[in-house]
Amino acid sequence: QLLLLSEKTKPLMTEFSVKSTIISRYAFTTVSCKMLNRASEDQEIEFQMQIPAAAFITNFTMLIGDKVYQGEITERGKKSDDRVKEKRNKTAEENGEKGTEIFRASAVIPSKDKAAFFLSYEELLQRRLGKYEHSISVRPQQLAGRLSVDVNILESTGIASLEVLPLHNSRHRGSGRGEDDSGPPPSTVINQNETFAHILFKPSVVQQAKIAQNGILGDFIIRYDVNREQGIGDIQVLNGYFVHYFAPKDLPPLPKNVVFVLDSSASMVGTKLRQTKDALFTILHDLRPQDRFSIIGFSNRIKVWKDHLISVTPDSIRDGKVYIHHMSPTGGTDINEALQTAIRLLNKYMAHNDSGDRSVSLIIFLTDGKPTVGETHTLKILNNTREAARGQVCIFTIGIGNDVDFRLLEKLSLENCGLTRRVHEEEDAGSQLIGFYDEIRTPLLSDIRIDYPPSSVVQATKTLFPNYFNGSEIIIAGKLVDRKLDHLHVEVTASNSKKFIILKTDVPVGPQKAGKDVLGSPSPEGDGEGDPNHIERLWSYLTTKELLSSWLQSDDGLEKERLRQRAQALAVSYHFLTPFTSMKLRGPSPRTDGLEEAHGMSAAMGPEPVVQSVRGAGTQPGPSLEKPYQPRIKISKTSVDGDPHFVVDFPLSRLTVCFNIDGEPGDILRLVSDHMHSGVTVNGELIGAPAPPNGHKKQRTYFRTITILVNKPERSYLEVTPSRVILDGGDRLVLPCNQSVVVGSRGLEVSVSANANVTVTIQGSIAFVILIHLYKKPAPFQRHHLGFYIANSKGLSSDCHGLLGQFLNQDARLTEDAAGPGQNLTHPPLLQAGEGPEAVLTVKDHRVPVVWKQRKIYNGEEQIDCWFARNNAAKLIDGEYKDYLASHPFDTEMTLGRGTSREL
């Protein structure tokens, strides 16, 4: 009974959701988990999340009741407050899947109260076997009321292939799997076009229970690849940072000289050795005729099959298989001597190979233990190996099970141009070995060096690579000295089997070539130019990884400290949780205060930051609007919204003027016309609705479509409706308005905040905000519609025109006052119901009778005081209403402008 009771009252997970945005292989992921303590006493709960080992955590926030605890990444110092225990380790966790680490935090939830956890992390996806893999752990440990995984992928060169794999759960076989193990998990929906894909996995509680009663569903895995032009590769540029992806194919493979070094000590007895032998039989059959190979078994003795490398023939493969078959497990583990013997075999072959063909020398080294025989000191083993290999031999290591010295294997591979893999005790060592071999079975280039002019590029990541294997990718990121650079000179030198290859190209990198890119969300860092960008984050991620790797390899105390300091400074400034930084929780702060700053609460977390979920938690939607607008962007008053109500702000004279335009449904109004100068035009199309009962109007009109044309540096156009945004800048992209996303292309940046607003930034100096007004149950006189706000007009010219544009660079003054002299006209003291005092306003030599009014803007939730110009602003605007009618949404003609005469 007691047991049953505690089971019944354990905290309930009301929501577990993961949002990922992958832009040019760089993934931003945010996990949100909401809990409810139904018990009548306080309860401690633990939040845990497996994250990929290659990822950096960038933010963690907890909401406990109405208190906010915000994570802050600082230099690693003394232990922080023990309220949150955060562990990231590769070894001690019994339940970390292959290639993952576990983040944990525990907190006490008061009785009958709620808690929410938000964890964000970032990672650069690595290409393996011709695919990128993005894996999300879905293990809420119980059935969740609402569960979703929502992934957006944006690749400007185009998505070549995309698949969602069945849920993968190697560690918890007992928890069951769905009936159908092929294809995407039940409820998965995939939508994609050439450059964009949206994947949503949203199983109901029943569907979750069918997969796993215990809430351990497994890894949700997406695999994809992109289109790439052959040659020098793909270079993308954004705000002074660049990334270069280089993945050639269709080259003749280089011959490889490979020595298989297998642990045959006593601990390998049984399944491990059998699986390894089976895998090696498969691998031997895959060797090419031009390859050479040998086999070494080691325990406390080193057993060499042949004392030289053997050509690949049917006979030699058969003899090799017989030798492997007869290996028996016995004795200890002499890692040092096994490696020395393998390197000697390769060095001897290379010294005597006079064919002139270039080849790649590899050791594939497999063990399940620590060094127990011969040289057992790891530093000595590393030094001996490095000195013998001299950078000519690459060592690929595989560690099986829990007893292996993984740090030693990792350093052996790091220091000797190889890779390392870890195989868990109960995983199939054979299939892991074959998969690992497949990654390196086809070397296409060796000694790759990529050069950029030092006058153009600084702080580039690693540019020298010993080998390039088919199906992988070389990635370099750096800073451009000159942001306005329009071409970047790139030279690639490398060798393949017969020749030395040199590629030289001037790659166009102007803003018009930046391709469609998505940016990270607002955050405190960056270079003062607004939001940080994903290429800058990718550069900082790659640079931090390389510094950590150099620190790991270095034996020189001074150099080690210098590397540590550089890695630490970079990680703090970009909010990466690394071995040199730690996370401290600030708080508790009351929910309201916490949320005002919450919006800068983390490094870029992909387009929908935690805040939105956080803010949403405390806001009750208004009666008719689906989502009250939270002004996250400072919007100027200059705008048109509702049943077109226009507001114009004259900041110099601190005056606000407003007017109405009663148009006809179907009319397209010119709002901003600056086609000749900044190249920007904004038009708005009206729809009609019946007037509300007892009103003075015959009908209402609203803006249903806002069209923005940008003519410089290249032509792009944008069409916004309450349900979608179409961006056409060479290739067409359709973004639904109910999902948050940020896209950049050719100096144009479009940010959609789900069901709230669309922000359009042009060349960094012009910004428009379009509010989306949606009704849950619209009355007959209501229509879903848009509001248009000018947030930044610095980049528009003084000759700008249009219903709003004509006032942007003007000033206004009040000249007469019906209420009598001496009254403060910017803020009349007495506000009457409806309309207040009258005055005459002078704007651009027009004298306009105006009356004081209060008007609601921003979704009808904010009052502004303004001087109202009656009669459809007849005296205020240049020309008349028909002069502002465009013939079609993309009409850039300007019928009025500076110098246009007009009769008063």
Side-chain angles (χ1 to χ4, degrees), residues 462-671:
K462 190 171 73 175
T463 56
L464 293 171
F465 302 88
N467 297 305
Y468 164 73
F469 296 98
N470 192 34
S472 68
E473 182 169 57
I474 284 172
I475 304 179
I476 300 161
K479 290 186 186 181
L480 296 176
V481 174
D482 175 10
R483 285 185 172 214
K484 300 195 171 52
L485 187 77
D486 54 3
H487 280 82
L488 177 61
H489 183 70
V490 183
E491 287 189 18
V492 177
T493 52
S495 310
N496 76 355
S497 55
K498 300 285 184 201
K499 58 180 185 295
F500 196 60
I501 298 173
I502 301 186
L503 302 169
K504 293 186 184 186
T505 316
D506 281 339
V507 183
V509 294
Q512 71 282 9
K513 296 291 179 199
K516 286 204 166 49
D517 289 315
V518 175
L519 312 178
S521 62
S523 83
E525 74 281 352
D527 49 11
E529 300 257 334
D531 294 351
N533 71 58
H534 69 277
I535 296 182
E536 180 181 350
R537 308 261 339 144
L538 186 157
W539 166 83
S540 60
Y541 171 96
L542 214 46
T543 306
T544 306
K545 285 276 178 204
E546 287 182 4
L547 288 167
L548 287 169
S549 168
S550 305
W551 174 83
L552 201 62
Q553 288 177 56
S554 171
D555 295 325
D556 172 340
L558 275 173
E559 188 200 23
K560 227 175 159 62
E561 179 54 23
R562 191 179 57 80
L563 289 164
R564 191 192 68 79
Q565 284 175 5
R566 280 182 60 200
Q568 186 178 63
L570 199 62
V572 167
S573 107
Y574 284 91
H575 304 283
F576 291 145
L577 185 57
T578 67
F580 306 138
T581 48
S582 60
M583 183 176 285
K584 298 213 169 84
L585 275 186
R586 282 211 323 264
S589 52
R591 195 146 166 164
T592 45
D593 318 356
L595 297 188
E596 279 323 298
E597 49 190 344
H599 131 103
M601 75 174 37
S602 111
M605 291 184 284
E608 184 155 41
V610 161
V611 207
Q612 247 164 326
S613 344
V614 171
R615 280 180 189 278
T619 330
Q620 287 309 308
S624 61
L625 282 154
E626 204 158 311
K627 188 168 176 185
Y629 175 63
Q630 313 278 355
R632 301 181 49 175
I633 311 128
K634 182 70 184 144
I635 303 182
S636 83
K637 293 177 191 166
T638 300
S639 62
V640 53
D641 206 339
D643 175 3
H645 290 171
F646 287 76
V647 178
V648 177
D649 199 29
F650 295 103
L652 290 175
S653 48
R654 307 222 312 276
L655 284 172
T656 304
V657 177
C658 48
F659 57 94
N660 295 350
I661 295 281
D662 290 328
E664 291 295 320
D667 283 356
I668 298 167
L669 305 187
R670 302 178 199 282
L671 302 177

Side-chain angles (χ1 to χ4, degrees), residues 239-532:
N239 293 349
Y241 288 82
F242 78 92
V243 59
H244 182 180
Y245 299 104
F246 182 58
K249 57 177 189 192
D250 302 331
L251 295 167
L254 280 158
K256 56 186 183 290
N257 317 312
V258 55
V259 179
F260 299 97
V261 182
L262 300 185
D263 186 339
S264 58
S265 59
S267 56
M268 285 287 287
V269 70
T271 316
K272 276 192 278 194
L273 193 58
R274 195 189 67 249
Q275 288 175 345
T276 303
K277 287 178 174 183
D278 289 348
L280 275 173
F281 295 162
T282 306
I283 289 170
L284 290 180
H285 278 294
D286 184 75
L287 292 172
R288 297 187 178 87
Q290 71 262 37
D291 295 341
R292 293 181 169 262
F293 76 110
S294 189
I295 302 158
I296 293 175
F298 74 97
S299 49
N300 46 349
R301 292 189 308 118
I302 310 299
K303 295 163 278 223
V304 182
W305 171 47
K306 304 270 193 232
D307 64 355
H308 56 281
L309 292 186
I310 305 292
S311 302
V312 173
T313 64
D315 287 354
S316 63
I317 296 297
R318 190 193 59 235
D319 294 351
K321 285 170 71 173
V322 169
Y323 179 76
I324 291 168
H325 177 73
H326 287 303
M327 270 186 188
S328 57
T330 168
T333 313
D334 188 347
I335 288 177
N336 183 67
E337 193 50 41
L339 285 168
Q340 291 294 314
T341 309
I343 295 169
R344 274 198 298 276
L345 282 181
L346 289 163
N347 284 342
K348 189 163 92 177
Y349 171 74
M350 287 187 286
H352 297 101
N353 169 30
D354 48 9
S355 72
D357 277 7
R358 292 178 172 275
S359 57
V360 170
S361 295
L362 315 171
I363 291 173
I364 293 179
F365 180 87
L366 185 141
T367 181
D368 72 338
K370 300 179 177 69
T372 58
V373 177
E375 180 56 74
T376 55
H377 194 266
T378 53
L379 267 180
K380 290 256 179 64
I381 296 173
L382 288 165
N383 286 338
N384 294 346
T385 307
R386 197 171 50 236
E387 280 165 22
R390 301 189 321 275
Q392 302 300 302
V393 175
C394 296
I395 301 176
F396 294 82
T397 56
I398 297 176
I400 303 179
N402 300 333
D403 297 329
V404 73
D405 183 347
F406 194 69
R407 289 311 276 275
L408 170 63
L409 298 187
E410 192 175 36
K411 284 190 84 164
L412 277 169
S413 292
L414 259 180
E415 293 182 359
N416 298 284
C417 60
L419 298 165
T420 185
R421 287 285 180 278
R422 180 163 201 174
V423 180
H424 281 288
E425 195 74 58
E426 61 279 28
E427 282 182 314
D428 179 351
S431 64
Q432 297 288 326
L433 175 56
I434 291 173
F436 191 32
Y437 168 78
D438 282 346
E439 287 184 44
I440 55 178
R441 65 187 281 263
T442 314
L444 296 183
L445 295 172
S446 67
D447 303 320
I448 304 108
R449 174 180 163 160
I450 302 186
D451 288 307
Y452 312 95
S455 58
S456 305
V457 168
V458 288
Q459 294 184 34
T461 55
K462 190 171 73 175
T463 56
L464 293 171
F465 302 88
N467 297 305
Y468 164 73
F469 296 98
N470 192 34
S472 68
E473 182 169 57
I474 284 172
I475 304 179
I476 300 161
K479 290 186 186 181
L480 296 176
V481 174
D482 175 10
R483 285 185 172 214
K484 300 195 171 52
L485 187 77
D486 54 3
H487 280 82
L488 177 61
H489 183 70
V490 183
E491 287 189 18
V492 177
T493 52
S495 310
N496 76 355
S497 55
K498 300 285 184 201
K499 58 180 185 295
F500 196 60
I501 298 173
I502 301 186
L503 302 169
K504 293 186 184 186
T505 316
D506 281 339
V507 183
V509 294
Q512 71 282 9
K513 296 291 179 199
K516 286 204 166 49
D517 289 315
V518 175
L519 312 178
S521 62
S523 83
E525 74 281 352
D527 49 11
E529 300 257 334
D531 294 351

Side-chain angles (χ1 to χ4, degrees), residues 743-756:
V743 183
S745 160
R746 309 171 177 197
L748 180 70
E749 185 193 306
V750 180
S751 165
V752 180
S753 180
N755 292 336

